[in-house]
Amino acid sequence: MHAHEMISTHPHVQGSTNDALIRCIEECYDCSQTCTSCADACLGEEMVAQMTQCIRTCLDCADVCITTGTLGTRRTGSNEQLIARMLEVCEDACRLCAEECEMHADKMEHCR
C-alpha cells in the first residue's frame, strides 16, 4: 500500500491523516532511493576516486532521508519534536547533497 493508504488504516490515526507529513514521508523515501542510485552510479564511473565526496554525501543523504521517513511513518505514540528535528536535518542533508552533485552535473547525468 502507498503511504497515505497504509497510514490512514492505523488505529491511532482513525482516517485522520496529516497529508503534509505523508507527502514528506513519500519525498524522503524517494530522495533516499535517488541518492542511493546516484552514489551507485558514481561508483561505476572511471574517475571513481575523484567521486569519493559525492558518493559519501549521497549515501549520507540517503540514510538521513530513509530514517526521517521511517520516524514520520510511526503513528503509535508521539515524538513530534524528534520528527521536526529530523526534518530539519533532512533538509540540510538534501541541500548539501544537491550542492555536491551540482559540481558534477555538467559531466555526469546522474548527478543532475
Side-chain angles (χ1 to χ4, degrees):
M1 286 184 159
H2 201 260
H4 187 272
E5 289 81 18
M6 190 64 200
I7 290 171
S8 69
T9 65
H10 193 287
H12 293 186
V13 172
Q14 299 177 347
S16 179
T17 59
N18 179 336
D19 291 340
L21 178 60
I22 290 173
R23 179 148 188 243
C24 282
I25 292 164
E26 291 170 345
E27 293 294 331
C28 284
Y29 288 148
D30 184 53
C31 186
S32 179
Q33 185 279 324
T34 300
C35 288
T36 300
S37 182
C38 186
D40 188 62
C42 288
L43 286 168
E45 294 289 346
E46 287 182 24
M47 54 185 281
V48 68
Q50 290 86 18
M51 299 304 295
T52 302
Q53 188 59 42
C54 190
I55 294 164
R56 168 63 189 261
T57 304
C58 283
L59 292 176
D60 287 351
C61 186
D63 288 346
V64 169
C65 286
I66 200 76
T67 300
T68 302
T70 300
L71 292 175
T73 299
R74 295 179 183 146
R75 298 291 82 207
T76 300
S78 177
N79 204 344
E80 301 304 319
Q81 188 177 28
L82 181 61
I83 292 170
R85 287 185 180 168
M86 285 301 297
L87 287 169
E88 291 172 8
V89 172
C90 191
E91 181 180 13
D92 288 342
C94 290
R95 180 183 45 76
L96 292 169
C97 188
E99 289 171 1
E100 180 65 34
C101 282
E102 283 176 22
M103 289 190 255
H104 311 285
D106 60 331
K107 297 177 205 106
M108 298 171 196
E109 188 172 346
H110 53 82
C111 284
R112 285 187 211 136

